[in-house]
Amino acid sequence: DAKTTQPTSMDCAEGRAANLPCNHSTISGNEYVYWYRQIHSQGPQYIIHGLKNNETNEMASLIITEDRKSSTLILPHATLRDTAVYYCIVRGGGTDKLIFGTGTRLQVFP
Amino acid sequence: DTAVSQTPKYLVTQMGNDKSIKCEQNLGHDTMYWYKQDSKKFLKIMFSYNNKELIINETVPNRFSPKSPDKAHLNLHINSLELGDSAVYFCASSPSPSTSGTQHFGDGTRLSIL
C-alpha cells in the first residue's frame, strides 16, 4: 500500500506556482520522498527526490518539513504542459520498490 | 533518441490468444521493470530483472512470463489472454536495483482484449 496521502485534484493558473502537498506521516528515517508525474498517454516521469533537505532541479523544488511528515512539490511557473497526475512516493533505501498511489491530478488552465 | 522503447504501442487481440510485448532501453542500465496500469489508473509493479536475473516477482498469474535476453531488453509474454488483462503495460529501467527510485519509463503498450 502507498504510504502517502495526496489531494485528488488541484487547479493552477498558467504562469503561477503550483504547490502540490503530500502527507507521509509514517515515514521512517531512511525513507526518501520521490515525485513522479504522468502526462496523459505517457509513462511516468521522474521529477525529484529528497531525504530531509530541500531540493531543487530544473523541473521543480521539493520542500520537506522538518519533522519529515509532509512535503510540497513546487512547480514555480506552471505551464499547460504541466497538466498531469503527480505521484508522491515514499521509498526506503536499498532495493525497495516504487509503490504508486492515486496521485494528484493537476490541471493548469490558461 | 528514445531511452526506453516498447513495441507495440497498441495491441488488440482476442481472448485466449498468446502475445508478447517487447522493451528495449539504450541507457546502459542494469535493471528493468514491468508495470501494469489498469482502467482505474493504478500502477503496479509486476516484475524486475537485474542484469538478466529476476529479482522482483509480484503476485502475477503464471500466464505472464518475462524474459530478458540481455540487460538492455526485457520482454513480456502473456499466454491465454483474459479480459482482465486489458490494461496499459509500462516498461522501465534504472541504473541498478539500489537506484530503483529513479526509473525511466517507456510510453506504454495499450493491450485490449476482445
Side-chain angles (χ1 to χ4, degrees):
Chain A
D1 289 343
K3 302 178 182 179
T4 63
T5 304
Q6 300 178 251
T8 303
S9 62
M10 295 182 65
D11 290 340
C12 179
E14 191 176 20
R16 305 298 290 267
N19 297 290
L20 292 95
C22 179
N23 184 297
H24 31 79
S25 57
T26 60
I27 193 169
S28 301
N30 68 339
E31 290 182 317
Y32 287 73
V33 180
Y34 289 82
W35 283 85
Y36 278 74
R37 72 180 181 183
Q38 187 173 19
I39 296 170
H40 181 62
S41 297
Q42 297 183 20
Q45 177 189 23
Y46 164 79
I47 301 173
I48 197 168
H49 74 282
L51 182 63
K52 54 184 178 180
N53 297 323
N54 298 338
E55 302 288 344
T56 296
N57 63 19
E58 65 278 4
M59 290 183 69
S61 294
L62 174 60
I63 309 297
I64 303 174
T65 58
E66 194 167 340
D67 64 7
R68 303 212 318 125
K69 293 185 177 182
S70 65
S71 61
T72 301
L73 179 75
I74 301 173
L75 308 179
H77 305 286
T79 70
L80 298 179
R81 288 176 297 179
D82 292 322
T83 292
V85 178
Y86 287 77
Y87 297 97
C88 171
I89 302 168
V90 166
R91 174 189 172 272
T95 59
D96 274 14
K97 298 171 287 192
L98 283 179
I99 299 176
F100 288 81
T102 54
T104 295
R105 182 171 298 278
L106 176 69
Q107 179 70 53
V108 181
F109 57 91
Chain B
D1 285 344
T2 303
V4 181
S5 58
Q6 299 179 224
T7 54
K9 190 173 177 64
Y10 299 95
L11 186 53
V12 180
T13 189
Q14 302 268 3
M15 205 165 48
N17 285 348
D18 303 338
K19 290 293 179 184
S20 292
I21 306 171
K22 295 185 176 182
C23 179
E24 176 182 4
Q25 55 94 5
N26 62 6
L27 297 166
H29 289 170
D30 283 348
T31 310
M32 296 184 72
Y33 311 82
W34 277 112
Y35 289 82
K36 178 181 180 181
Q37 188 167 41
D38 61 23
S39 58
K40 295 184 178 179
K41 303 298 184 184
F42 290 115
L43 187 65
K44 291 186 178 179
I45 190 167
M46 301 172 68
F47 303 102
S48 176
Y49 270 72
N50 182 56
N51 204 7
K52 302 192 296 180
E53 290 197 11
L54 182 67
I55 57 171
I56 294 176
N57 187 355
E58 294 293 293
T59 307
V60 175
N62 57 15
R63 298 182 294 104
F64 290 78
S65 54
K67 284 187 173 51
S68 181
D70 56 63
K71 70 176 190 177
H73 296 83
L74 181 60
N75 304 322
L76 184 64
H77 188 76
I78 315 170
N79 289 326
S80 303
L81 280 157
E82 300 177 357
L83 291 176
D85 297 332
S86 293
V88 182
Y89 292 84
F90 288 99
C91 177
S93 72
S94 68
S96 69
S98 62
T99 56
S100 64
T102 53
Q103 295 180 22
H104 294 253
F105 283 78
D107 280 338
T109 294
R110 285 145 186 82
L111 174 62
S112 298
I113 310 302
L114 304 177

